[in-house]
Structure formats: structure tokens, C-alpha cells
Amino acid sequence: MSDLAMVQEDVPGKRVPLVLGKQDFHSVTESVAGIVEGPTPHKWKLLFVLALSILLILLGSLGRLVTKGIGVWGNNTTVGWAWDITGFVFWIGIGHAGTLISAILFLFRQKWRTSINRAAEAMTIFAVMSAGIYPLFHVGRVWFAYWLFPIPNQMGMWPNFKSPLFWDVCAVSTYATVSILFWYVGLVPDLATLRDRAKTKTRQIVYGIFALGWRGSHRHWLNYERAYGILAGLSAPLVLSVHTIVSFDFAVSIIPGWHTTIFPPYFVAGAIFSGFAMVMTLMIIARKAFGLERLITMRHLENMNKVIVATGTMVGYAYAVEFFIAWYSGNPYESFALMNRAFGPYKWAYWTMVSCNVIFPQLFWFKKVRTSIPAMFVISIIVNIGMWFERFVIIVTSLSRDFLPSSWAYFRPTIFDITTFFGTFGLFMTMFLLFLRFLPMVAIGEVKSVLPAADAHPHHDDDGHDAPGSEGMSKEPVHAA
Amino acid sequence: MSSKSGSGKTSKGAAATKPEADAPEPAEARKAKKSEAGAALGSSFKLSSEQSGKLMRVAGIVAGIGLVLGGAGFASDSKRFAFSYLVGFVWLATIGLGALFFVIVQHLVRAGWSVSPRRHLEWLSSGILPACAVLFVPVAVFAHTLYHHWMGEHAAHDELLRKKAAYLNPGFFYGRAVVFLVLWAGISLWFARTSRKQDETGDRSLSQKMQLASAPSMLVFGLSLTFAAFDWIMSLTPHWYSTIFGVYVFAGAATSSLSALVLVTIALQKAGLLKGVSTVEHRHDIGKLLFGFTVFWAYIAFSQFILIWYANLPEETVYYRDRSAGSWMVVSLALLFGHFIIPFLGLIARTAKRNITVLAGFAVWMLVMHWLDLYWMIMPTLDVGDAHFSWIDLGGLLLPAGVGAVAVARAATGGATYPLKDPRLAESMRLENA
Amino acid sequence: MPREPERNKKGDRPAVDAGHAAAKAMSEAAVEPTTSSTEADSGEVFALMGRFESPAEITHACEALRDAGYKHFDAHTPFAVHGLEKAMGLPPSRLPFIVLGGGITGLVSAISFAYWSQAVDYPLVIGGKLAFSFQAFIPIFFELTVLFAAFATFFGMWGLNRLPTFFHPVHTYPSFHRASDDSFIVSVEARDPKFDMTKTRELLEKLGAREIGAVEA
């Protein structure tokens, strides 16, 4: 295992291999499909019980909410939106990293994504599910939730298309749908692998049905690859639009601190930031637990850390510009809102946010930190906390002190606010554990396609003194030094 | 931006200048082509003295026309010329800045596909940005005309402007401008020189050095561009503010610099100076980026618009009111269609991005549209109520554009047309779009 | 591509072929029962298949088959082997046109539905904005365009591939399970005019195929 601890140096002109060790096609199949086929690990069972019990907490809190009403939350007349929408934006943001990895990095030909995209996409779907809980239950009478959609109903009315909340319904449901389609398209060849390896009739039938009779025909691959590329091309603007529209929920209003034009790109950067942090947290655990260190290498983790520091800095840029313009605008409400954030009753939340999102990630400028597993694990959790606080700060501080001082109020969460939020982790974990157990957590086919052996023209370098300065041709070394 | 790990698209004869049609190519033909391309290398990686002469002449002529038109414009209406010149100056500066952005970002992500385009971006940035330091002088001289709202006397009686005086005051304004221009010139020259040094030594550590410098450079770039946009454009209407403004200007810089890159790439390819180094695949990739940033521009423009339109606050909507008054509405719509819808539909197809004529056509188009975008941002301060295009505007554009062209031509004639010994050159040559 | 005349002797038996419009071809074949003596003894053969062990091998094999004039052959690989479509001489996918159609449908239906529901059926003036404020509807137009385009991509792709097809003759090849693991399997279909049990087998042998065997339709 010595090659795992080693930090791979990327010398210009020589690319570090994407997977480590002597991997061939079969060993990739074995190491990923083996996880699904092997006996259920005890640790998994333990975790699953834990996740289920947290999920029960969610169900209990929601049950209380439905039977009693929204009043069980701490929302008051001034702070009408609080932990619920904070939780919603938090989870939606987390989902964005999955799409970023699967779609945007695909468009940029970032092949290192192949080891992590499957799990990240799964994370997207489960995060969007968790996010959906909040608006769904915040409507109060959840059995009327279909009023959110433009479906003919007994009132003979349509949803208001001018409302950003309706845009949100469209955006999030489109996002959920497209993410599932994209994920499933990616899964089909791997499901065929599982079908072909199935030892029991049940597995063969179940995986067989979902594999749709895939037979790896190149005539199919041709359409498949095109579909994958198109779905990536559609998902890239889609993912931007989703958090943009989430930011519109706030920014089209006139509430100081909400109404500012940088919100759309700033929310998107923040979403990617928090999502990558969540991917880090999960992948560090999963690669260790399932022994996938050779497929998800230090290089993958380091790249993700770089994305975290880059997006964290963008978020810092947005904080700074917001502050500057609040002063520059000369608008007393705007500057009050920002001063209130930083030095008002919620200053503890504000400074938690700034230190978690802007200060701690800067440690990733140092390679030592970027490549230290304990350090990145801690920082990834810090970032997750910070991003939750970011939404809380934006939402609650602006609402709690608006134009009318007589209606100012301080928000205090009730136990049900806390348990609902905590409970969504149970939903997320339950789904993620089921995914780890029954579906290939690494895209088997895609990882094979980036192995050196996958090159159909492996001799192209041998005769090539193609270029001056080509002495260190970037042919990938077959395995780690 | 691109290909970081994984050596891009491997496979295929590396250098083969592929025909546009994706016809199956027997392996032999591929090999033959490759050796041909290999032979072509080394013979022509520099502009011949004839080509350099021609390039300098053309740039000189543009600069000459610009000087004459600009001089005449200044003589006939100095106020209008000041605004027209600001449009032209920012147009040129944003091309240089966008180019600088892509130089930095390619080192930042250790891009492999874009080695030869990087050299051309180095020409654009290291040519234009130092020239801008000189070209800023007229802006500084005209500042009291351009920014009279807050530089003039009545600023002292304006309560809002009094609040902003700590930032919006002439001394600080000039000081910031000097800092921005020096930083940009310094960073762009450093990257261009270091890269050219590698042409001679082939020293790998230079690549690492540039990689190391890229992250802090990016920070400097982002902040300086934002505040330059606030200073030079947003402060024309000093009561108005928009936090996204820096990003908006950046989006324009990205599209315009990519358009310029497309034109440089095509010109060099046609002159046979990039045989085997830069092919239709590179054009395709640059085209994809151009397409992507066109959409990005639309996204940022829409975000700014919808938030201001929706909230309908008087201090903000004034910006769009001025730009939808009278014939300005036509310009606004021209931007919607010309800067987004037409290039979006035109460049979406793979075949369009791989077609020289289409791609070059859209590159020119986008450069014009970028000028129109800046015109739309700057000129309503002068032409209140209606857009009045004038020949003076052309002088205001051609003067900086001509000087910029001479500066870029000088940078281009100085050395090799692609980084000869960049360690990732071979990877770049193997580029192939699936 | 003009369809090759059908040579399958048992033309009335529909081969379960995902790649081509089998049923139509079969009915034509029934009208035109051309018999080839070599195929007479191959009976119900669907294809001759062989296994390769690397992308380079199968690319070479497909190039050879293509150059030998075969049209109805296929490669079954665990991942999309880059450049294989050129080796097989396949035309590019038609999927983008389907997606374009889906996207346009989405956009048009979004605009017309927004117009009808917001300006005709139940006009509401909110925030002092016009009933049909297209600016505010752009997010919805965008989302619906993407949604329809994504559905078109998804269903279009499976449609073009004629999937799901839960049974296909190639599945009966003994080593076929390795096509989703580490093997690159080629199948030359019997309906190909160039198909000849002996000659095709020889060609595959020459190309280095392992475990050459026929599968029945």
C-alpha cells in the first residue's frame, strides 16, 4: 500500500496515472462489483440502523408538523422563513457538486472525474430528495402539495408564473428528473456487468430488467456516448439555473441583504463549494471503508480540494463585493443590513460563516494540507457547517430586522426545527447506504476507459518525435512508480 | 479550463491534420500524414520577415486611420470623442484582460490541450495590456468630462456622492488606475516572457513556476478587473450600483478575447505556421469556449436585468430606463439578439465550430457585439434619451484598436508562433474531440 | 445505406435484431427467397462470434471486417472504445436532431402554456406587472426546454438503440458475459451478404479471435 501514501507529483509533461496499482479491466470490475456482490458488512448494517433511526426522527417531526401545523417550528411573523428554507438551500447546494462532476467536468474532459462521478451523482439525487422535504412540508397541508404544479385543480386557478417560488418548483423538479435520467444512463452498462456476473436468479432478473438488455454493442455505444454528452451539455446550464433560481427566491425581493445582483453566480459558487465539501466527506469515508484507495486516489482528493479553495475564494469575493457595494450604494437600508449581519444580534452566525467558508479553506493553498486526509476531512466538515450558516445568515438576519423596527424579532429554533433538519441527514444517509450496497459506487465502464490499456492505438508515441521538446511525452506511465 | 489529468484524448496519429469529414482513415494514411506534419515542424514556427512586415503594415495602417479619425473627432467634438474613446479603450483593455485570464487559468489547471493557443493569448495580453497603460492617458485627461457627475463641483452638494467621496475622488481614482494598469502589464509580460524563455531552454521548472504564480495572479486579476469595471464604467452613473457588474464586464472580456483568439489561430493556420500543432480540433475547442462564454454572458446579463426589473427600485431601474429610452431600446434588443441568440444558434452545432468561415465570421461578429455592449454601457451617459451613432465613435474605437494591433503585432513578430518546448506540447498536438 | 438483399434462407423467421429494421427486411426476404448453398447447412445461425482481449485488437479486427466489405457486424465492448465507430465505418448518431426537436417542443409548449394560463385563462396582475410578463417567465421557458430536451435524449437514445430488448441471440455466446467485463467480442451476422461460414471463420481466425463460434437466432 506504499504507493497510496505517496503524493503523486504532476511534473509538467507527465500526467499522473488516474488509478493506481496494476489495474486491468477485470480487476476494476472485481473491485467495484465485488462490493455489491459480497456479504453485507457488519459496519454497513450498523450504519444502516443508525441512518434508519435518524430517518425515524424525521418522520416523527414531520408527523408532528402535519398534525399540529407550521407553528411547531420557530418561525414567527417577522422571520417567516428560517430553518426550513435554510435546510432546503443547503441540500440543493450539496446536490450541485454531483452534477458539476458528472456534467461540467465531463465537458472539460476532466477524466479524473470517472472515479467519483457515480457516487457524486447519487449524492445529488438524495440531496435533492432531502431538499424537497422542506417546501413540501412547509406548505402545511402537504396533501395539497400538488397545487405547486400547474395541474388543473378545483379552484380553477394556475400557479403564478411570475413567482420565483414557482420558478423554483420548475427548476428543482426538472433538476431532479434530469439528474435521475443522467444517473440512470450512466448506470446501465454497469448494471449489465452486474447482471452478467449475477450468481442468483433474483439478482439476474432485477439487474437484468434495469440493464434493459444492454449488450455493449458499439452501435449502441455510439448513440449512448452522444446521449451522455448531450445530457452533460443540458445539465451544465441546468445546474447553474437551479441555484440561480434559488437565489432569485431572495434576490427579486426588495429586502435589504437579499436584493443584490451578484446573488445568482454567488449562490452557484457557494453550491459547488458546499457540494464538493460533502463529496469529500463521503468519499474519504467510502474509499477507506471499501478499500477503493487505488481508484479514488490522493490525486482525486487533492483536485477536489483545489476546487474547494477556488470556489471558497469566489464566495469570499462575493462577500467582499456585497459589503463594498452596500457601502458604495449609499443606501442606508443596504448598509444597515450588512452591518447588522456582521455586528448585530446574529454576529456569531456571521463570523462562523466567514471563518468556515473563507478562512479555513484557505489552508488548502498548502499542498501539505491538501494532501492530508485528516486535515481535508475536518475542513470539508467545517465547510459544510459554514455553508449551512451562510444560508441561515442571509435568510434570518435580513428578515429579522427589516424596514419596520417595530416588527423586529429574533428567531429561535424549536426542537422540531432541529429534529427536522437533523432527520434529513437520516434520509440522505439511508438512501446513500442503500446505493453503496446495491449499485456500483464507481462507474466501472468509465474507469476502464481511462486505463492506459483502454487506448486503441497504444503505439502512437513510439515513432513520434512529433515535436520539439517532446522528450518527456505525456504518455501515461502504466503504473505508479 | 480544460484537460487537466488524463492526457486529453489519446489515440490517433498525434499530429495528423484531420480532414473536416470524419471519414475513416486507414492507419497508413494517418502515419504518412503524421510524418509529413513532423517534417513541416521546425521549418516554420516563426513569422517570416515578409509576413511580419505585412502584419506590421496592416496594424500600422489601422493605427494611422485611428489616429487621423480620432484626431479629427477630438477636434470636432471633444466631449463626444472622450466617451467614444472610453468605449474603444475599454474594448481593447477587456480583450487583453480576457486573454490574460485564459493564460492564467491554463496554468492554474495545467491545461494540456491549449498549449499553442496559449502563446497567442500571451501575445494578446502582453501586447495589449502594456499598451493600455499608455492608452489610459487620454482617459485620465478626459476624466473630468467623462466622470463629471462625481468629479465636478456639484458632487459636493449631492448627499449620496458625499458619502462615496472616500472612494469616488479623483486622486484615488487615478491611483487605482495606475495600480491596475501596472499590475496587468506586469503580470502579462511576466507570463509571456517566462513562456518565451522556455522556448530557448525547454526548462520544465518554468512551467512549474508559472503554475505556482497562476493562483495569486488569478486573485489579483479578479479583484483588479472588478474594481476597474466599477471605476471606469459603473461610476459614469455614480448613483447606480450593481454587485454583479464586475462579473458582467468579465463575461464580455472572455467572449471578446476568445473571438480575437479565433482570428489569430485561423490566420496562423492559414499561413501554415501551426502545421500539426494546432488543427481543427483546437479551433473546435476554442469555439466551444466561445459558445460557452456567450451563454455565460447572457446568463450574467439576464441575472442583472431580471433582479433589477423585478424589484423595480428607482435607484436601480434608472440604468435600464436610460437604456430602453428611444432608440436605445433598439440597441438593447440588438444586444439580446446579436450578443446571445444569433451566436447561440449559430455556434451550437459541432459542424459550425469546425467550419473556418462560420467560426471566423462569428468571431468578428462577437468583437463587434462586444463593442456594442460597451457602447450600450457607456454612451447613454452622453446620448441621453436616444442613441446617436457618429463617425467619431469609429475614431474612438480605431485609435486604441490600431495601437493595440501594433502592440500585438510586435509581440507576435518577436518569437515563435507556439511554445516550442512546452512540456505539454505533445499532449496538445494529440488533441481530438470525440 | 441501401439495404442488402436478404439471404437468410429461413427468411420467415424474424431475427431479433436491435440494430436494423428487422421485421421489414424479413417480410421482403420472404418474397425473395434467395438461397445460398453455404448457408444452407448453417441453419438458423444468427452470427459468427469471436472474442478479443484488447481495444487495439478489436479495432484492428473491425477495420479488417470493414475493409473486407462486411456491413452487418458489431462489436460488444465493456466500455465505448474510442474510434471504433470509424473502424466499423458507422455514420454519426442522429440523436442530436431528436434532441433539437424535443427542445423546440419544450420551448414552444412552455411559451404557449404560459400565455394561455397567465394571460388568457386566469390573468393576474401581480407586482404591477403585465399579465404576460415574458421577462419573468424566462426561467420557466428555460427549464421546460431543458426538461423536454432531456426526455428526448433519454428516450431517443433507447429508441435508436431498440432497447430494452431483453433477449438477443448474441447473449447465447458462451463468453458473452465477459463483454461487460474484460473482453471485446465481435459478431458477424449471417444476413450480411459477405457472410460465409467458412470464409468468415477463417477471417476471424486470421485476426486472432478466440473462441470462435456461431450463435443461433
Side-chain angles (χ1 to χ4, degrees), chain B residues 358-381:
Chain B
V358 175
L359 189 62
F362 274 110
V364 174
W365 175 263
M366 288 309 288
L367 283 171
V368 174
M369 279 300 142
H370 180 52
W371 176 80
L372 191 69
D373 188 24
L374 291 165
Y375 194 90
W376 176 86
M377 283 191 250
I378 291 168
M379 293 308 272
T381 322

Side-chain angles (χ1 to χ4, degrees), chain B residues 116-175:
Chain B
S116 84
R118 200 190 72 224
R119 170 57 47 88
H120 315 138
L121 291 163
E122 284 163 2
W123 293 349
L124 288 170
S125 57
S126 70
I128 289 173
L129 292 174
C132 280
V134 181
L135 287 168
F136 186 75
V137 173
V139 177
V141 172
F142 296 136
H144 279 272
T145 313
L146 293 165
Y147 306 104
H148 67 97
H149 285 300
W150 59 268
M151 278 197 183
E153 282 150 21
H154 53 273
H157 310 295
D158 184 315
E159 201 203 338
L160 269 178
L161 292 181
R162 272 216 309 272
K163 273 190 182 173
K164 303 183 187 194
Y167 184 80
L168 285 186
N169 64 69
F172 196 17
F173 175 84
Y174 295 129

Side-chain angles (χ1 to χ4, degrees), chain C residues 55-195:
Chain C
E57 277 180 24
I58 197 158
T59 307
H60 173 65
C62 287
E63 279 168 350
L65 283 165
R66 178 197 72 202
D67 294 343
Y70 285 90
K71 291 269 186 290
H72 298 285
F73 66 99
D74 209 342
H76 304 270
T77 56
F79 55 88
V81 176
H82 184 62
L84 199 54
E85 60 279 0
K86 279 179 200 160
M88 292 171 69
L90 297 181
S93 170
R94 288 171 294 147
L95 190 62
F97 298 100
I98 300 176
V99 178
L100 185 69
I104 291 172
T105 312
L107 181 62
V108 170
S109 47
I111 293 174
S112 33
F113 182 65
Y115 184 77
W116 178 72
S117 68
Q118 303 296 301
V120 179
D121 192 46
Y122 204 103
L124 282 171
V125 179
I126 289 166
K129 293 175 169 58
L130 297 174
F132 185 74
S133 295
F134 66 92
Q135 299 94 329
F137 299 162
I138 288 172
I140 296 167
F141 297 164
F142 172 80
E143 299 299 335
L144 236 65
T145 310
V146 169
L147 184 67
F148 276 56
F151 274 127
T153 314
F154 185 80
F155 292 108
M157 188 263 284
W158 298 124
L160 287 177
N161 285 348
R162 305 283 194 280
L163 288 178
T165 301
F166 290 106
F167 174 76
H168 188 275
V170 296
H171 281 134
T172 58
Y173 180 65
S175 295
F176 196 74
H177 63 278
R178 292 186 67 179
S180 63
D181 180 11
D182 60 353
S183 287
F184 302 80
I185 294 172
V186 93
S187 64
V188 184
E189 290 170 26
R191 69 194 165 105
D192 194 289
K194 289 278 290 179
F195 186 84

Side-chain angles (χ1 to χ4, degrees), chain B residues 19-173:
Chain B
E20 313 281 341
D22 293 331
E25 244 185 309
E28 282 73 15
R30 232 172 13 236
K31 264 199 189 124
K33 263 193 191 161
K34 181 172 159 189
S35 53
E36 219 175 83
L41 279 174
S43 57
S44 56
F45 53 80
K46 259 188 171 168
L47 269 73
S48 67
S49 57
E50 192 188 328
Q51 286 164 323
S52 314
K54 198 173 149 201
L55 184 63
M56 286 304 280
R57 261 200 310 284
V58 172
I61 291 170
V62 179
I65 299 173
L67 217 60
V68 172
L69 264 183
F74 177 67
S76 79
D77 184 348
S78 67
K79 189 175 177 195
R80 176 158 202 99
F81 178 73
F83 281 88
S84 302
Y85 181 84
L86 182 65
V87 176
F89 168 77
V90 179
W91 181 83
L92 180 71
T94 41
I95 294 175
L97 283 169
L100 180 61
F101 168 78
F102 286 110
V103 170
I104 297 174
V105 93
Q106 282 166 48
H107 288 298
L108 193 61
V109 304
R110 297 176 303 208
W113 70 275
S114 55
V115 169
S116 84
R118 200 190 72 224
R119 170 57 47 88
H120 315 138
L121 291 163
E122 284 163 2
W123 293 349
L124 288 170
S125 57
S126 70
I128 289 173
L129 292 174
C132 280
V134 181
L135 287 168
F136 186 75
V137 173
V139 177
V141 172
F142 296 136
H144 279 272
T145 313
L146 293 165
Y147 306 104
H148 67 97
H149 285 300
W150 59 268
M151 278 197 183
E153 282 150 21
H154 53 273
H157 310 295
D158 184 315
E159 201 203 338
L160 269 178
L161 292 181
R162 272 216 309 272
K163 273 190 182 173
K164 303 183 187 194
Y167 184 80
L168 285 186
N169 64 69
F172 196 17
F173 175 84

Side-chain angles (χ1 to χ4, degrees), chain A residues 136-267:
Chain A
L136 208 61
F137 282 87
H138 197 180
V139 301
R141 287 172 286 172
V142 66
W143 50 95
F144 287 134
Y146 68 95
W147 285 354
L148 291 168
F149 294 93
I151 301 168
N153 56 45
Q154 59 269 51
M155 297 178 296
M157 287 172 74
W158 297 106
N160 171 21
F161 279 36
K162 270 166 265 180
S163 164
L165 299 182
F166 179 64
W167 306 345
D168 225 0
V169 171
C170 292
V172 173
S173 47
T174 302
Y175 183 49
T177 314
V178 176
S179 299
I180 291 170
L181 294 183
F182 196 17
W183 188 57
Y184 180 62
V185 166
L187 266 172
V188 165
D190 289 357
L191 291 173
T193 303
L194 291 177
R195 171 200 66 198
D196 293 344
R197 290 167 56 94
K199 298 274 189 300
T200 68
K201 201 78 193 159
T202 329
R203 294 182 84 94
Q204 195 178 16
I205 290 171
V206 173
Y207 287 125
I209 287 172
F210 286 104
L212 303 179
W214 181 259
R215 53 182 189 273
S217 154
H218 197 73
R219 292 169 196 272
H220 293 177
W221 277 119
L222 201 57
N223 290 321
Y224 176 94
E225 292 257 283
R226 190 37 77 90
Y228 200 91
I230 291 172
L231 283 175
L234 290 170
S235 300
L238 176 65
V239 72
L240 298 193
S241 84
V242 174
H243 231 62
T244 294
I245 290 173
V246 168
S247 82
F248 285 172
D249 288 348
F250 309 103
V252 297
S253 74
I254 54 165
I255 306 277
W258 284 11
H259 177 65
T260 179
T261 48
I262 198 144
F263 256 34
Y266 153 42
F267 265 51

